[in-house]
Amino acid sequence: MRYISTRGTAPTLEFDDVLLSGLARDGGLYIPESWPTFSQEDLVRMSGMSYCDLAVEIIAPFMTGSAALNKLPQLIEAAYAGFGHPAVTPLRQLEGNLWLLELFHGPTLAFKDVALQLLGQLFEVVLEARDQRVTIVGATSGDTGSAAIEAVMGKARATLYMLHPKGRVSEVQRRQMTTVDAANIHNLAVAGTFDDCQDLVKAMFNDQAFRDRHNLAAVNSINWARVMAQIVYYFWAGLALGAPHRPVAFAVPTGNFGNVYAGYAARQMGLPIERLVVGSNHNDILTRFLDSGTMAMEGVSPSYSPSMDIQVSSNFERLLFDLLGRDGAAVTATMRQFREEGRFTLDPASLAQATALFQGVRFDDEETLAEIARRHTRDGELTDPHSAIAIAAARSTAKGSVCPLVALATAHPAKFPDAVEKATGLRPALPTRLADLLDRPEYALDVPADLAHLEGLIDDGDKVAQQGAPTI
Ligand SMILES: *Cc1c(COP(=O)(O)O)cnc(C)c1O
């Protein structure tokens, strides 16, 4: 499988290069040159499969030519062996036609594990085949950091530096990162904001000499392999609910548009998806766009669903590429306008194409808490605020629909205990495998928001390993 950039001028790459490179050199995002498709008969054959067997079927066509392809079944088994549920992503009935797909049974209790656990396995095999090492740098405001750390810890060929804004991530999220004691993992607590962290990471990638010296890699949500791994659970839920014989719809709590874009990909590949409902909190750039056709940046303010507090949905560019007729020059011009003016407006025909499939709904903090409380009253279950937005989005759009509607539960309630407690009076307990999280020692290094300082630190990587003593 060959991959092209959404901006049309970067070199076409094979899977392994896309895996390791992240962003395309022309600033675009990589997508497959064409979609692998599954026929009705294929879907019928796949409908009884285990999650891991299904994952092999879905993922293998994207990885033709990869050094990891012949090990794919074992890598997938290894990626999901640590999940806390035998079904990997269990599907539960909420009421009538409404279902909940629980994506939070991985090691860090958020859906990002589904993709990053596999990414960690793929990185190791591809790097081994090439006899290379990488240094992964990332910035996190919460879930991505811990999921990346769990995916890379102990891997022989990757060193990870994860920057988080000191004092600005929740205690559970911080501890999920800082309690990992592995020589190749370095938590850097930056004196600054999440934007400072992100700017520092960008600056490191833009420093070509530094980038080459360390073979820098990224595992952020624009990495194609993350989207690829997420396509699987759309098929998993769709097949369980009657595909290919009846269509299915999904409601997805959205930040960077990565998760719901994987649903779009599943539809392109032959899964009968009737519609994709995009749920947002009050940081609602996407739902405003679907209403108006104008994508306009606004300030971001904190919500109870912090993993969706984003200003720009970076994966949207992949959909935009299709909406603009797969014209890289048009995407480049649109994204340039967006960067310069903070907004762009889609032509009516392209917008109609988007709204034929995507529907946007937003819920503020109060409505989010009300949804958490509602479910608790109905069936005694606790729901995290991101998943609550998915359920609210599903319910608000379910009227008159005959096909099953699946809300994606993206985090375990114990990951966001304050909001859950506020809504229900109950503080959700961590699963037993994480029960001692609050007692484990923490490893992090306090650093200033200073590029030269950080680059010096990474240049002298061993020093960090030695200083990685508890500092918080
Ligand atoms: C990252 C995240 C999201 C948003 O996912 P995107 O792919 O960025 O849209 C939603 N919920 C939780 C819990 C997350 O960690």
Side-chain angles (χ1 to χ4, degrees):
M1 175 66 76
R2 291 155 65 80
Y3 290 83
I4 54 173
S5 164
T6 51
R7 304 222 180 153
T9 58
T12 301
L13 297 183
E14 295 287 334
F15 177 83
D16 289 352
D17 293 306
V18 169
L19 173 75
L20 298 178
S21 66
L23 201 68
R25 217 180 297 163
D26 57 8
L29 277 60
Y30 276 108
I31 47 165
E33 198 166 42
S34 62
W35 294 106
T37 54
F38 295 101
S39 67
Q40 285 249 344
E41 296 76 58
D42 290 332
L43 294 179
V44 169
R45 181 178 55 82
M46 284 150 60
S47 58
M49 288 186 179
S50 71
Y51 189 92
C52 289
D53 288 348
L54 180 65
V56 175
E57 293 276 336
I58 307 284
I59 290 173
F62 289 113
M63 283 180 49
T64 52
S66 168
L69 183 60
N70 63 359
K71 296 203 181 96
L72 187 60
Q74 299 93 293
L75 298 178
I76 287 174
E77 290 286 345
Y80 300 120
F83 275 52
H85 195 288
V88 183
T89 62
L91 184 64
R92 300 177 57 182
Q93 189 165 23
L94 285 174
E95 50 192 275
N97 252 348
L98 280 189
W99 299 76
L100 191 69
L101 182 63
E102 293 185 346
L103 302 174
F104 54 70
H105 293 281
T108 73
L109 309 182
F111 91 101
K112 292 183 175 68
D113 289 326
V114 178
L116 282 166
Q117 282 295 311
L118 181 61
L119 222 69
Q121 303 287 339
L122 293 173
F123 258 71
E124 192 70 352
V125 173
V126 170
L127 290 169
E128 180 117 19
R130 298 181 165 201
D131 194 20
Q132 282 179 1
R133 295 187 46 81
V134 288
T135 300
I136 300 168
V137 290
T140 186
S141 57
D143 295 343
T144 304
S146 56
I149 287 169
E150 284 286 340
V152 171
M153 68 180 203
K155 296 274 187 283
R157 291 178 176 273
T159 305
L160 172 62
Y161 292 86
M162 187 54 70
L163 282 61
H164 72 266
K166 185 176 167 69
R168 292 172 200 248
V169 295
S170 79
E171 184 175 16
V172 171
Q173 287 180 322
R174 186 192 75 237
R175 284 180 167 276
Q176 283 188 316
M177 296 192 280
T178 58
T179 58
V180 171
D181 180 11
N184 69 330
I185 301 297
H186 306 293
N187 278 291
L188 303 178
V190 176
T193 63
F194 172 60
D195 287 334
D196 293 332
C197 295
Q198 225 168 5
D199 288 347
L200 286 163
V201 169
K202 269 190 210 144
M204 284 186 247
F205 273 94
N206 286 335
D207 179 344
Q208 206 61 49
F210 181 79
R211 182 178 179 162
D212 292 344
R213 189 155 72 238
H214 292 286
N215 203 12
L216 282 198
V219 293
N220 52 14
S221 80
I222 51 103
N223 191 305
W224 163 257
R226 285 183 59 174
V227 174
M228 175 186 79
Q230 291 166 185
I231 297 170
V232 176
Y233 51 72
Y234 286 89
F235 276 93
W236 166 256
L239 293 173
L241 293 173
H245 306 297
R246 77 174 171 172
V248 60
F250 292 90
V252 188
T254 301
N256 267 320
F257 205 72
N259 196 354
V260 71
Y261 179 77
Y264 171 80
R267 187 168 187 270
Q268 300 302 104
M269 294 167 70
L271 185 68
I273 294 180
E274 189 211 47
R275 73 207 142 91
L276 291 166
V277 184
V278 173
S280 76
N281 61 33
H282 60 242
N283 298 304
D284 59 351
I285 181 166
L286 273 171
T287 50
R288 277 185 286 120
F289 164 77
L290 288 168
D291 282 344
S292 66
T294 297
M295 188 77 85
M297 271 188 235
E298 282 181 3
V300 173
S301 60
S303 77
Y304 287 139
S305 42
S307 302
M308 295 154 67
D309 291 345
I310 52 94
Q311 190 173 29
V312 176
S313 300
S314 45
N315 267 292
F316 182 80
E317 182 167 336
R318 289 192 159 109
L319 178 67
L320 184 68
F321 182 70
D322 279 4
L323 294 175
L324 296 178
R326 297 178 79 88
D327 176 350
V331 173
T332 305
T334 304
M335 294 311 291
R336 184 183 309 129
Q337 186 191 6
F338 190 45
R339 197 182 57 235
E340 285 166 5
E341 299 166 23
R343 59 198 294 133
F344 69 84
T345 300
L346 204 61
D347 64 275
S350 301
L351 179 65
Q353 207 187 318
T355 54
L357 178 62
F358 293 94
Q359 188 178 354
V361 266
R362 61 158 264 167
F363 299 93
D364 63 19
D365 276 349
E366 210 174 303
E367 293 166 312
T368 305
L369 294 189
E371 193 62 44
I372 297 172
R374 181 182 181 275
R375 179 160 182 233
H376 180 244
T377 306
R378 274 181 66 94
D379 58 18
E381 295 281 349
L382 299 179
T383 313
D384 108 278
H386 306 79
S387 311
I389 287 178
I391 297 174
R395 286 204 307 113
S396 75
T397 60
K399 286 211 178 57
S401 170
V402 288
C403 80
L405 183 46
V406 182
L408 302 196
T410 51
H412 188 286
K415 195 148 194 181
F416 299 95
D418 296 338
V420 177
E421 186 171 18
K422 204 163 175 153
T424 64
L426 294 174
R427 201 159 176 89
L430 286 161
T432 33
R433 64 186 192 283
L434 285 169
D436 65 343
L437 185 69
L438 300 183
D439 305 318
R440 295 179 195 166
E442 294 189 68
Y443 304 92
L445 195 67
D446 284 337
V447 293
D450 178 75
L451 181 65
H453 184 93
L454 284 177
E455 291 193 342
L457 205 83
I458 293 173
D459 280 336
D460 205 359
D462 292 343
K463 215 188 239 168
V464 183
Q466 284 153 22
Q467 289 175 357
T471 52
I472 291 178

